[in-house]
Amino acid sequence: MKSKATSFDIAYRAGVSQSTVSRALRNSPLVNEETRLKVQAIARELNYKVDKNASNLRTQQSATIALLLFEDPTSDDSMINPFFLSMLGSITRACSDKGYDLLVSFQQMNNDWHADFEDTNKADGIILLGYGDFVDYEQKLQQLIEQNTRFVRWGAEAKGLPIVSVGCDNFHGGYQLTEHVLKNGRRQFAFLGGASSHSPEFLDRYLGHCKALTDNNLNVDQAYQFDAISTEESGYDAARKLLESGLPFDAIFGASDLIAIGAMRALQEQKVNIPDDVAVVGFDDIPIASFTFPPLTTARQNTKLAGELLVEKLLKLINGEAVDTTLMPTSLIVRKSCGS
């Protein structure tokens, strides 16, 4: 019976050390590309499989990344913001490409998730998606920092905290959307979404929106900002309050696509024509945005790149490398809801 190939067999064939083989099979940056490809080709030829248990004992690592996904209020039972679904696929692929397993854990913000993974060593590092109220979430992040937990998060830059984030340039996205609609002749904008430290992404979008107004010689009126969380129901309720206020308006900026979609339903129930009477824009470019009636103009966030960056930055942290926060640019996606 033929014996199973070992890493020493690969090392002999490749003319390198066994430790180099181990690094090459982990895609370590310490191994040059030519050697890495040679080692991996020999491993495939010999049908070699990494013994993860033995490898983990040597490195004191689990070769696992934990993805903590926080529940959001949704119109169905999933409790998952649809924006995160495509990012989840990207994270899964990126982990697989790097030879890591992905442990996905669904969390409630009131759970002791900030202590659990540190105590049990289930994973070498953590990726955080979603959070709800940032003020409550920030306290848990502080505890992760104190425990020296290696983690990265999706979201706005956490100013004043030594936290690595991957997010989008919400300010520029808000500015770009508003300026586009203003150039089409709209002048009375309402903003539906939170604009406080409890929701920093929405706040940055609002600040970008306000800057576009002032740059076009328009006043910023706080009466035109209506709080909403990222659900269709909340967007619907905010739009109803806007309609009931009696304020004149010819454009709505939904701080997320879900808010904008809920607002569109409220307008349509009142026989308000979109976009002839009111232009509507959202933010995120979730898949349903192109199938609304009319299709929704929005700011697209690159979720594929976001997932890859989250994994890449976390692995660098695990390896003791320095990592910085990255804010990605948004793309303006123009559809019929804004009248263009």
Side-chain angles (χ1 to χ4, degrees), residues 155-327:
E157 184 177 5
K159 296 179 175 65
L161 291 176
I163 293 173
V164 177
S165 302
V166 175
C168 85
D169 189 342
N170 290 289
F171 181 92
H172 180 259
Y175 187 100
Q176 189 178 37
L177 278 166
T178 302
E179 185 177 53
H180 176 78
V181 176
L182 292 175
K183 285 182 177 178
N184 285 308
R186 307 305 168 113
R187 285 295 179 267
Q188 292 284 353
F189 240 115
F191 183 92
L192 310 185
S196 73
S197 59
H198 293 272
S199 50
E201 285 92 350
F202 284 7
L203 175 59
D204 284 347
R205 294 169 196 178
Y206 178 66
L207 293 175
H209 162 73
C210 292
K211 184 66 165 58
L213 294 178
T214 58
D215 283 356
N216 284 271
N217 301 312
L218 297 172
N219 293 325
V220 175
D221 187 344
Q222 295 288 340
Y224 280 86
Q225 185 265 318
F226 292 79
D227 284 343
I229 62 173
S230 194
T231 66
E232 298 99 320
E233 290 81 4
S234 190
Y236 175 87
D237 292 340
R240 288 295 301 267
K241 290 176 182 177
L242 170 62
L243 290 163
E244 292 165 3
S245 73
L247 293 168
F249 65 97
D250 58 12
I252 286 178
F253 187 142
S256 74
D257 287 346
L258 294 176
I259 291 173
I261 291 168
M264 291 171 72
R265 180 160 65 88
L267 294 176
Q268 289 162 345
E269 284 183 357
Q270 298 301 312
K271 310 301 182 186
V272 177
N273 186 277
I274 306 168
D276 294 345
D277 300 327
V278 176
V280 179
V281 298
F283 205 106
D284 289 337
D285 196 31
I286 60 176
I288 195 63
S290 61
F291 293 98
T292 58
F293 184 78
L296 181 63
T297 294
T298 185
R300 175 179 294 166
Q301 304 189 68
N302 190 337
T303 53
K304 179 179 184 296
L305 177 60
E308 293 168 354
L309 287 174
L310 285 164
V311 173
E312 176 187 314
K313 289 178 182 292
L314 181 56
L315 293 182
K316 285 184 177 179
L317 283 177
I318 291 170
N319 291 326
E321 300 176 45
V323 187
D324 293 325
T325 286
T326 295
L327 292 182

Side-chain angles (χ1 to χ4, degrees), residues 118 139-149 151 162:
E118 179 69 19
Q139 297 174 1
K140 300 274 181 95
L141 295 182
Q142 187 64 55
Q143 290 173 297
L144 289 179
I145 295 168
E146 292 170 359
Q147 295 166 349
N148 295 316
T149 303
F151 72 97

